[in-house]
Amino acid sequence: MKGQIKIRKVLIFALLFLSLNFLAACQGQKPESGGKIEKPDITPGFLSISGNGVKAPSRFTLAELKDMEEAQTSQCYSIVNNWPSKKYMLGRGIELSYLLKKAGIKDEAQTISFQAADGYFAVFTRQQLEEKRFYYPKLMEGSEEEAQEVPAILAWEHREGSKDLSKASGGKLTLLLGQKGLSDVQAQVCVKDVAVIEVLTSPPGQWSTVQATPAPGRIKPGTEIVLHHSEQDQVKIYYTTDGSSPSEKSLLYNPSTTYYQPELNKPLVVKQSVTIKAIAVGYGKNDSQIASFAYDVEGY
C-alpha cells in the first residue's frame, strides 16, 4: 500500500511539473501583432526604451516626457477596430520618432514592439511606424476628404469619441497612430499604459500569401470564391478584380475577425471570367506577396 501511495505521489508530481511547464510555454508565445504575454520586466513610473536596435537604452518618467516641449503635439485620430466599428480619438503627447531618435535608433533596426504594464503588446515593422498615416475627419461617411497626415505619438492625455482637442484629459500613456486607408484596422495596436518599447534588428518576416477556394480554373456562373489565410485574424485581405495591384485602399475582404462577426466576411460571387488579386496586410510583418487567381466562367 505504501508503495502504491508513493507511486501515486510521484505521478502527481510529474503531471504537475509538466502542466506548469506547458502553461509557461503557452504564456511565453507571442501572437504576430497584438495580444497578452507575461508581464514585461518594467520599472513602475518609467517608460523604458531598450533592445539591440538602439545605441542608448533609456528610461523616462512622465514628468521628463512632458518637459520635452519641442516634440509635443496634439492630434485627432480616426480609429477602426475588428467589430468593425469606427470612432475618433484625441491625443496630446510626444512624437514617437523623437523618442526613438533620442534613444539612438540604429539604421539596421527593423522591428519595434510596445509592451503595456499588464502584459499586452503590439509589434510593428519599422516601416509601419515611419510611413505616412492619416486622420480621416469623414471616416463615418466613408470619405477620404480632408485627410490629414498624423504622427505616431505616446499620449498622456486623450479622449475617445470627440474631435475637440481641448477635451483631452490625463490618462495612461497610450500609443496612437493614424490609418493608411479608411478600412485600416489599428485599434488593437493602440497600446494603453505603455511601459516598454523594444527595438530590435531582427527581420520582421513576411506574411504568407492569400489562398482561394475553389482553386483557379474553369467554374460555373455564380460560383462563390472564398479568400482565406493561415493567420486570418492577424491580417486583413485586400483584393481587386480589375487587374490592378491591391493595397490598403483596395476592397477589404475580411472587415471582421472569425470570432466577432464572421458573417461580414462574405465570399465573392463570380458571374463572369475574372482575375482576383489579393494581398495580406498585418502589423508586425511585411505585406505578403500578391496572389493572383484567374477564373474562367463557363459561357464567357
Side-chain angles (χ1 to χ4, degrees), residues 199-244:
V199 185
L200 301 174
T201 58
S202 53
Q206 183 179 32
W207 295 107
S208 60
T209 55
V210 177
Q211 302 296 313
T213 304
R218 192 164 180 77
I219 58 175
K220 295 180 179 180
T223 298
E224 294 185 344
I225 308 300
V226 176
L227 300 180
H228 50 93
H229 191 272
S230 59
E231 295 170 281
Q232 185 95 354
D233 291 332
Q234 295 290 335
V235 300
K236 291 301 176 186
I237 299 172
Y238 294 92
Y239 71 95
T240 62
T241 57
D242 61 0
S244 62

Side-chain angles (χ1 to χ4, degrees), residues 18-53:
L18 290 172
S19 297
L20 289 173
N21 276 276
F22 176 77
L23 178 61
C26 289
Q27 289 177 331
Q29 292 173 353
K30 288 188 178 183
E32 303 298 350
S33 58
K36 282 279 188 99
I37 57 172
E38 291 182 350
K39 289 187 177 182
D41 184 15
I42 65 172
T43 303
F46 285 87
L47 169 68
S48 299
I49 304 178
S50 60
N52 62 7

Side-chain angles (χ1 to χ4, degrees), residues 1 21 88 92 114 134-135 170 174 183 188 192-193 196-197 215 222 242 247 250 258 265 287 292 300:
M1 178 67 72
N21 276 276
Y88 297 107
R92 180 176 295 115
F114 296 77
F134 301 90
Y135 156 56
T174 298
S183 58
Q188 78 280 9
K192 298 178 181 178
D193 198 13
V196 177
I197 300 174
D242 61 0
S247 70
S250 302
T258 58
N265 307 332
D287 298 349
S292 184
Y300 288 86

Side-chain angles (χ1 to χ4, degrees), residues 267-289:
L268 307 179
V269 180
V270 175
K271 297 181 179 180
Q272 59 186 25
S273 298
V274 67
T275 296
I276 300 170
K277 291 186 177 182
I279 190 171
V281 176
Y283 291 101
K285 288 186 180 182
N286 294 318
D287 298 349
S288 74
Q289 294 182 345

Side-chain angles (χ1 to χ4, degrees), residues 121-291:
F121 76 99
V123 183
F124 301 83
T125 67
R126 183 175 183 173
Q127 179 183 349
Q128 288 167 344
L129 289 174
E130 294 182 343
E131 63 194 351
K132 289 184 178 181
R133 291 181 172 272
F134 301 90
Y135 156 56
Y136 296 106
K138 296 187 176 181
L139 175 71
M140 304 303 178
E141 295 86 354
S143 172
E144 292 187 352
E145 261 186 81
E146 302 175 22
Q148 302 167 27
E149 186 178 350
V150 290
I153 69 171
L154 289 178
W156 50 74
E157 290 184 0
H158 26 76
R159 172 64 64 86
E160 184 177 319
S162 175
K163 295 182 182 182
D164 185 352
L165 288 169
S166 67
K167 293 185 177 180
S169 57
K172 295 180 178 179
L173 201 61
T174 298
L175 172 66
L176 293 175
L177 70 160
Q179 298 177 274
K180 285 197 67 179
L182 289 169
S183 58
D184 182 18
V185 175
Q186 92 280 35
Q188 78 280 9
V189 293
C190 291
V191 180
K192 298 178 181 178
D193 198 13
V194 178
V196 177
I197 300 174
E198 187 176 32
V199 185
L200 301 174
T201 58
S202 53
Q206 183 179 32
W207 295 107
S208 60
T209 55
V210 177
Q211 302 296 313
T213 304
R218 192 164 180 77
I219 58 175
K220 295 180 179 180
T223 298
E224 294 185 344
I225 308 300
V226 176
L227 300 180
H228 50 93
H229 191 272
S230 59
E231 295 170 281
Q232 185 95 354
D233 291 332
Q234 295 290 335
V235 300
K236 291 301 176 186
I237 299 172
Y238 294 92
Y239 71 95
T240 62
T241 57
D242 61 0
S244 62
S245 296
S247 70
E248 286 94 342
K249 294 185 180 295
S250 302
L251 296 169
L252 176 60
Y253 179 81
N254 56 333
S256 181
T257 58
T258 58
Y259 49 84
Y260 281 139
Q261 299 185 77
E263 67 275 9
L264 297 179
N265 307 332
K266 299 178 180 179
L268 307 179
V269 180
V270 175
K271 297 181 179 180
Q272 59 186 25
S273 298
V274 67
T275 296
I276 300 170
K277 291 186 177 182
I279 190 171
V281 176
Y283 291 101
K285 288 186 180 182
N286 294 318
D287 298 349
S288 74
Q289 294 182 345
I290 295 175

